Amino acid sequence: MKLVEKLEQVQGPFYTFEFFPPRTDQGFSNLLLRISRMAGLKPLAINITWGAGGSTKDQTLELASLTQRDYGIDTVMHLTCTNMLQGSVDDALRAAKAIGIENILALRGDPPRGEEYWIPTDPRFNYGLDLVSYIRSSPEFSDAFSLGVAAYPDGHAGSTLSEDEEIEYLKAKVNSGADFIVTQLFYDVDNFLRWLRKIRSYGITVPVIPGIMPIQAYASFLRVTKLCGTHIPNSMHADLESIKHDDQKVKDYGISLSVEMIRRLVEEGGVRGVHFCTLNLEKSVRSILETLGWAPGHAKIHTRLIAESVGPAEQPTTTNPDLITTPAGATSSAANGLTSHVANEGGTGRGEVNYSATWDEFPNGRFGDANSPAFGSQDLWGGYGRITPSHPHPRTFADITALCLSFLSGEITSYPFSTAPLSSESQLILPHLLRLAGHGWWPVSSQPAVDGTPSEDDTVGWGPPGGYVYQKPFVEFFASEAIVERLERAIETMNGAVDFLAGNKAGEIKTNMQDAERNAVTWGVFPGQEIIQSTIIEQESFITWKVRISRLLYVRGHLNVLLQDEAFSIWKDWARQLPPDSQERQLLERIRDTRWLVNVTHHDFKDPEALWSFLFEDVGLDDDTTEFATSADVV
């Protein structure tokens, strides 16, 4: 059914869920299990995102087909129009129509990862407005879809337009045939209500569905809001600052904040429903809806008197007839409640880790497990930023080493492989990182060994209070092929104590891990819960999508999974800022083409020096004179 028609008919509060196609087959299967559970929450519709430049076209269409056909949920398929090959938009619209999709969210879209510009490869499309106008003017598609468009209450991060100009553009999209509006995420309710009143004064009357993204983790919250240009009230900054090291408190705060926001939107703004950006996660959204009393079967519960019998004299005099129950009725109600709880919280047992709806909720969006439906969620907003002309232009390998050392030492607060300063956790192993960088092994991520530190610890703690966290030490860095070969030889003598994965731009992989081997490098033990394995290093996540490799950043020292193309495109983006024949560009392109990205993990988490002893003594790093450590090394 068309969403615009459902919006006209719906009486009570409503909500929609947004999902993105996972990066792996197992993640895709586990997302289907998750959606099947969340379908029980009776969303008005489900949104399925479309990757930049059509990069997830097949997965988007497959997922949209399954949610529409198998789960019977009206599906809104996102569709972007920039960087799409000639005719791709027509093909996507025909495919959507063929599988019964009746709703499209028409967007301009971002360029594919590794591309610098929004390129109108199909001359019909430069902006979202062009896509709306095209669909409405097409005899083939004009009546086939209900069309939605995006709006930005805090302003579009990539736009130079004033707010008035942005609203005029939004009005043009509506006038061209958009039926509803879904907004970008926001946290400033006062500003949203002001903006809503303003767009109404411009004559925009179509339904506006506010975008709500529950805060899942402090680091991901900072990254996403920075990329989206989201305004954060000072009170939120203060609230989060005091709890940012406690993942459970941050998640609980995100739930409470979302509930408060939605209540204000309904009571003060007359908003009838919201759009949840789920990040393919379940727990927070379910908790929000249950707290609001919006979830089916979770209406406000009244305390009831249990009486031996319910006769006329005992009937309640209020308008609610359910304030008294019998012992048998109370027992039945409790049993039904427990059954419902188990059904909601447990998986179906068909492949989801721990058979739980919440197995991948922690910590901090660091989904190193390729089986997680949320694997790759960090990639949704364009990664961690792009190289800009303001970045330095090294002429030698020693210049890059010096830049890396400056970042590690705190002389600069960011460099091309990290947009945030070095974390307090990485400070624990700073001498080792400096030593690595000084030899030309440029580290891009790491974590120290942790052996049963309380989960409340400000530096390495995460998850619920009262628990203990553990970490195997690992480091990831760029190195030459000669160093990779030396690592291989040294690891053969370690009797399984060390694992490594290495890959290059060409897609070659070297490893001592078995195909299905999974190395949990971060885990936590918490009261009343199963052990949570929050970060996993495995071949599948290492080589997902065309042998893509994790690019790991310093966010409290933990794994943040991105993709290989992203890791090596950093060098490409850096090089493209420079003239084609320049020495600087040739250097960066040579590095991209010849260096390997290497991950080394030591299994002895009880010895904080085990990893470093292996690298510096067994591999013999300090004896190395072949890496690029002198200013004389130039292209």
Side-chain angles (χ1 to χ4, degrees), residues 316-507:
T317 58
T318 68
T319 57
N320 186 338
D322 299 318
L323 296 181
I324 297 180
T325 186
T326 64
T331 301
S332 176
S333 176
N336 290 336
L338 288 172
T339 301
S340 174
H341 179 76
V342 170
N344 286 334
E345 291 298 321
T348 64
R350 291 183 294 155
E352 189 160 351
V353 175
N354 295 339
Y355 311 119
S356 169
T358 59
W359 63 274
D360 57 357
E361 293 282 340
F362 288 106
N364 284 346
R366 298 183 289 266
F367 301 111
D369 187 347
N371 292 327
S372 167
F375 179 73
S377 63
Q378 297 91 339
D379 200 38
L380 294 178
W381 287 271
Y384 285 76
R386 299 184 181 276
I387 304 298
T388 69
S390 63
H391 282 92
H393 304 317
R395 296 173 58 86
T396 68
F397 292 103
D399 290 342
I400 297 176
T401 294
L403 178 64
C404 184
L405 289 170
S406 295
F407 171 74
L408 293 172
S409 301
E411 296 171 13
I412 58 176
T413 57
S414 68
Y415 84 132
F417 291 93
S418 181
T419 58
L422 193 69
S423 71
S424 58
E425 181 171 352
S426 295
Q427 296 285 347
L428 299 176
I429 51 175
L430 180 57
H432 301 307
L433 298 176
L434 290 169
R435 194 172 171 188
L436 277 176
H439 282 275
W441 296 19
W442 305 313
V444 292
S445 188
S446 61
Q447 71 177 26
V450 174
D451 182 20
T453 298
S455 59
E456 298 93 339
D457 185 82
D458 286 345
T459 302
V460 299
W462 58 271
Y468 295 90
V469 297
Y470 300 80
Q471 293 179 176
K472 293 178 183 178
F474 76 77
V475 65
E476 183 154 310
F477 51 89
F478 284 102
S480 67
E481 185 170 11
I483 293 300
V484 174
E485 292 172 351
R486 183 186 294 184
L487 274 168
E488 285 187 289
R489 292 193 295 270
I491 286 172
E492 289 176 356
T493 68
M494 295 301 293
N495 298 317
V498 177
D499 280 342
F500 94 109
L501 286 157
N504 62 11
K505 175 180 174 291

Side-chain angles (χ1 to χ4, degrees), residues 78 128 144 195 200 202 306 394 412 424 439 497 546 568 597 622:
H78 293 200
W195 174 85
R200 295 305 191 203
Y202 272 70
I306 300 177
I412 58 176
S424 58
H439 282 275
K546 205 178 69 175
F568 287 98
L597 189 63
D622 286 335

Side-chain angles (χ1 to χ4, degrees), residues 185 187 213-226 232 236-237 239-241 243-255 257-258 277-279 281 283-285 288 360-367 374 377-378 381 384 461-463 534-535 555-556 558-560:
L185 65 99
Y187 295 100
M213 179 182 287
I215 301 173
Q216 300 289 350
Y218 185 70
S220 62
F221 163 76
L222 291 182
R223 180 179 65 83
V224 169
T225 53
K226 179 180 179 181
I232 308 301
M236 275 189 65
H237 279 300
D239 291 342
L240 287 167
E241 181 64 27
I243 60 172
K244 64 183 181 181
H245 295 297
D246 189 323
D247 288 13
Q248 183 64 61
K249 287 183 179 179
V250 170
K251 190 178 288 286
D252 291 343
Y253 177 82
I255 293 170
L257 177 67
S258 297
C277 183
T278 69
L279 297 179
L281 296 172
K283 182 179 179 181
S284 291
V285 172
I288 291 165
D360 57 357
E361 293 282 340
F362 288 106
N364 284 346
R366 298 183 289 266
F367 301 111
S377 63
Q378 297 91 339
W381 287 271
Y384 285 76
W462 58 271
S534 65
T535 304
V555 182
R556 293 175 56 200
H558 285 282
L559 184 68
N560 279 280

Side-chain angles (χ1 to χ4, degrees), residues 267-289:
E267 296 169 4
E268 301 176 34
V271 170
R272 297 190 301 131
V274 296
H275 172 76
F276 286 104
C277 183
T278 69
L279 297 179
N280 289 7
L281 296 172
E282 177 177 356
K283 182 179 179 181
S284 291
V285 172
R286 182 180 292 277
S287 296
I288 291 165
L289 294 175

Side-chain angles (χ1 to χ4, degrees), residues 498-518:
V498 177
D499 280 342
F500 94 109
L501 286 157
N504 62 11
K505 175 180 174 291
E508 298 175 84
I509 287 291
K510 295 178 181 290
T511 182
N512 65 329
M513 297 178 67
Q514 300 300 313
D515 288 346
E517 186 176 347
R518 310 178 76 222

